[in-house]
Amino acid sequence: MTFLLLLLFCFLSPAIFFADSIPSTLDGPFVPVTVPLDTSLRGKAIDLPDTDPRVRRRVTGFEPEQISLSLSSDHDSIWVSWITGEFQIGKKVKPLDPTSIKSVVQFGTLRHSLSHEAKGHSLVYSQLYPFDGLLNYTSGIIHHVRITGLKPSTIYYYRCGDPSRRAMSKIHHFRTMPVSSPSSYPGRIAVVGDLGLTYNTTDTISHLIHNSPDLVLLIGDVSYANLYLTNGTSSDCYSCSFPETPIHETYQPRWDYWGRFMENLTSKVPLMVIEGNHEIELQAENKTFEAYSSRFAFPFKESGSSSTLYYSFNAGGIHFVMLGAYIAYDKSAEQYEWLKKDLAKVDRSVTPWLVASWHPPWYSSYTAHYREAECMKEAMEELLYSYGIDIVFNGHVHAYERSNRVYNYELDPCGPVYIVVGDGGNREKMAIEHADEPGKCPEPLTTPDPVMGGFCAWNFTPSGKFCWDRQPDYSAMRESSFGHGILEMKNETWALWTWYRNQDSSSQVGDQIYIVRQPDRCPLHHRLVNHC
């Protein structure tokens, strides 16, 4: 009995054995730390060429490729997606007929007895440019099938394709999420942003796979196809190299290369994506986000959203809210109304943890994208705070930064911990300058992103300046290195966050902290916002 009580006590208080080596947010707020830049570790920010065997097409005919999984709204269903047929690129392209091949998933709990079958829908998308000399693109046939009626925490085997054409994939497997409760969580959740498809990316994904995640969050900026012209010419800085193009071009085959490279991971582990600025991809008729919205499956309908650009889902005792920074978010917008309803439905006795993600950070002390998302912060921060958001993940800034608990730029023991993980490895290289360094503070009116709205950064520092003159108190730790993070919920109040750097061995830790919820100290702050 004594032994069982000891085990229970340790489960409820993970810090018992780790307090000496791993800090917790209970020890904070922390004195800000900047890890010095090691210029020898900039990594190889060069895209994989189309000749690399990892991005080349390895199937024939209408056999499935670019297989990926994504969660539905809860543990009992999951999406399976794949592509059949070849893309076309040229001045004149003719889309494939998506009805010409079936969308079927055969699955079961026994590898050699796939006794269940689910059917879905298919589509193609095109990226069209009505300008002389630019090439158009049309995709292969993209399939999305939602499997329902699944048991929690169970391994399922599956294959996908069209059995009538003998065009089926090999057998893959996945594990469903645990049932939503305060005592059940995915083992490890990988968090990464701004991936691209460089040699740095390959290091990031290799390390990530080594950590055996049960779920992956990708916080925007996926393929970086928009760093290319339609003829395949590319640059680290599109606007610098191609200022005269009539429209911001893209080279859509980079999406196919990315899907092929990632299949070894995404065919086994669900990938939940939220859009970044590189997914906008403007084309004819002012269409945007076509590749993003077509290639991935999202539980937006299941979560009551009308858009692939924002949605929510549960993973065990965690409720995730994925928000769109590049669609209207002000208090009169449909997204804001949806967010209010979604948060109001969360039962913290069932899903104690509340985690939010969107692409551009509200709390980042780097010069790159400094206070760029201030209008979104002004619109949504109070609402999120009022419902007790625990953790926020962002990307966009190509570096790592973890905050102290903060609300409205003030240290607040009931505010979320903000974590920027825009260090996945893309070719735009790292962010290395800080806005608090002498001469590095940007001019205020240069900071807004026109896509996101106007200038809202009127809330200056206590000294009346646009930038701090030292590392801000809200910034607990920052470092310019490529890497990824792993989130592990230990119970309903303790979670372990670990950040791994690409230049280290897979077991070496770059940053680690227990994030501790204090529901007794921080009851839900509904009084701040009128939710009627």
Side-chain angles (χ1 to χ4, degrees):
M1 176 64 73
T2 302
F3 178 72
L4 291 175
L5 288 174
L6 178 61
L7 284 178
L8 178 61
F9 184 64
C10 292
F11 176 76
L12 293 175
S13 302
I16 291 294
F17 292 121
F18 300 111
D20 290 339
S21 56
I22 304 176
S24 82
T25 51
L26 299 179
D27 304 317
F30 300 96
V31 175
V33 171
T34 299
V35 177
L37 176 67
D38 186 340
T39 56
S40 68
L41 296 174
R42 297 298 299 278
K44 195 174 182 183
I46 300 172
D47 275 343
L48 297 186
D50 58 10
T51 55
D52 191 297
R54 292 170 290 185
V55 306
R56 294 186 65 81
R57 191 168 188 260
R58 297 182 293 274
V59 299
T60 60
F62 284 93
E63 294 174 347
E65 65 161 350
Q66 304 180 50
I67 301 169
S68 65
L69 304 169
S70 56
L71 298 182
S72 187
S73 55
D74 223 325
H75 72 269
D76 58 356
S77 56
I78 198 167
W79 286 94
V80 182
S81 304
W82 68 95
I83 295 181
T84 55
E86 297 191 58
F87 67 78
Q88 303 166 56
I89 189 165
K91 294 182 179 180
K92 294 183 179 181
V93 292
K94 182 180 180 180
L96 297 173
D97 178 4
T99 66
S100 63
I101 188 164
K102 298 176 182 177
S103 306
V104 177
V105 176
Q106 299 170 343
F107 65 99
T109 55
L110 299 175
R111 183 179 181 89
H112 299 297
S113 180
L114 306 181
S115 55
H116 303 282
E117 185 174 279
K119 298 180 180 180
H121 66 278
S122 58
L123 62 110
V124 298
Y125 82 91
S126 297
Q127 191 79 12
L128 304 176
Y129 299 106
F131 300 100
D132 290 340
L134 272 59
L135 303 181
N136 296 314
Y137 170 95
T138 186
S139 70
I141 300 172
I142 301 170
H143 305 260
H144 298 301
V145 176
R146 185 184 178 207
I147 306 175
T148 59
L150 302 176
K151 298 177 181 179
S153 302
T154 302
I155 293 177
Y156 283 87
Y157 297 91
Y158 75 97
R159 60 187 175 192
C160 57
D162 184 345
S164 69
R165 286 179 173 249
R166 296 185 178 179
M168 298 293 288
S169 71
K170 69 178 184 179
I171 296 176
H172 301 277
H173 69 275
F174 61 84
R175 180 187 292 274
T176 53
M177 291 294 107
V179 67
S180 291
S181 85
S183 61
S184 59
Y185 299 94
R188 291 181 169 189
I189 302 167
V191 187
V192 67
D194 302 72
L195 266 179
L197 189 55
T198 70
Y199 291 96
N200 286 325
T201 310
T202 65
D203 289 341
T204 300
I205 296 303
S206 176
H207 283 211
L208 187 153
I209 290 174
H210 185 269
N211 278 317
S212 302
D214 299 287
L215 174 64
V216 179
L217 304 183
L218 176 48
I219 317 299
D221 285 2
V222 182
S223 73
Y224 285 79
N226 72 337
L227 291 184
Y228 286 74
L229 300 180
T230 62
N231 63 10
T233 304
S234 67
S235 171
D236 296 345
C237 174
Y238 185 99
S239 61
C240 307
S241 300
F242 314 120
E244 304 300 327
T245 56
I247 190 172
H248 191 128
E249 302 175 31
T250 71
Y251 187 64
Q252 289 294 298
R254 296 299 302 183
W255 279 100
D256 295 283
Y257 304 160
W258 191 90
R260 292 166 186 163
F261 172 78
M262 293 291 290
E263 184 179 324
N264 185 47
L265 171 66
T266 59
S267 62
K268 302 179 183 69
V269 181
L271 175 70
M272 305 306 290
V273 186
I274 195 65
E275 84 280 0
N277 55 301
H278 284 274
E279 280 72 70
I280 297 174
E281 296 187 331
L282 178 66
Q283 60 164 307
E285 299 179 356
N286 288 320
K287 291 182 179 179
T288 54
F289 296 107
E290 285 294 298
Y292 163 86
S293 296
S294 300
R295 290 176 179 271
F296 300 108
F298 306 90
F300 73 100
K301 292 181 179 179
E302 299 100 287
S303 59
S305 168
S306 63
S307 171
T308 60
L309 303 183
Y310 56 91
Y311 60 93
S312 66
F313 63 95
N314 290 336
I318 315 166
H319 184 71
F320 287 94
V321 178
M322 312 291 275
L323 297 178
Y326 303 97
I327 185 174
Y329 48 70
D330 60 83
K331 293 181 180 180
S332 64
E334 188 174 344
Q335 178 179 197
Y336 190 90
E337 288 300 313
W338 168 84
L339 178 60
K340 284 200 301 184
K341 293 176 182 178
D342 187 81
L343 293 174
K345 290 187 293 185
V346 176
D347 184 346
R348 302 299 280 268
S349 69
V350 177
T351 53
W353 288 91
L354 192 50
V355 178
S357 296
W358 60 88
H359 185 59
W362 295 351
Y363 289 95
S364 169
S365 58
Y366 284 83
T367 301
H369 306 300
Y370 182 69
R371 303 184 74 172
E372 182 178 284
E374 199 78 5
C375 290
M376 184 185 184
K377 176 181 176 296
E378 287 291 309
M380 289 184 157
E381 185 179 25
E382 185 180 17
L383 177 60
L384 293 173
Y385 178 78
S386 75
Y387 278 98
I389 289 283
D390 299 302
I391 307 170
V392 173
F393 290 113
N394 303 120
H396 203 39
V397 176
H398 301 158
Y400 174 75
E401 187 164 16
R402 171 175 53 83
S403 81
N404 285 306
R405 291 193 175 277
V406 61
Y407 171 66
N408 195 27
Y409 291 114
E410 297 289 337
L411 297 180
D412 187 321
C414 298
V417 174
Y418 289 81
I419 300 175
V420 178
V421 285
D423 57 340
N426 72 85
R427 67 177 294 171
E428 288 182 325
K429 302 183 175 63
M430 292 179 202
I432 60 174
E433 296 179 347
H434 307 112
D436 48 88
E437 295 174 5
K440 302 301 182 183
C441 180
E443 288 294 324
L445 294 180
T446 67
T447 58
D449 181 342
V451 178
M452 294 188 63
F455 182 79
C456 297
W458 301 109
N459 185 2
F460 283 19
T461 68
S463 62
K465 299 178 181 178
F466 187 61
C467 300
W468 280 255
D469 54 10
R470 57 181 172 81
Q471 186 172 352
D473 290 340
Y474 68 73
S475 174
M477 189 270 196
R478 63 189 183 188
E479 179 176 350
S480 296
S481 290
F482 291 123
H484 76 284
I486 295 289
L487 181 66
E488 302 171 77
M489 269 55 185
K490 300 301 182 180
N491 57 38
E492 62 187 284
T493 55
W494 285 72
L496 179 63
W497 167 255
T498 308
W499 176 61
Y500 295 93
R501 308 186 307 176
N502 283 3
Q503 64 262 32
D504 298 330
S505 66
S506 298
S507 60
Q508 187 173 340
V509 170
D511 182 35
Q512 193 167 53
I513 189 170
Y514 279 108
I515 299 173
V516 185
R517 297 181 60 245
Q518 295 181 275
D520 294 335
R521 182 181 184 183
C522 302
L524 300 185
H525 320 294
H526 296 294
R527 64 185 182 275
L528 289 178
V529 180
N530 178 6
H531 299 294
C532 298

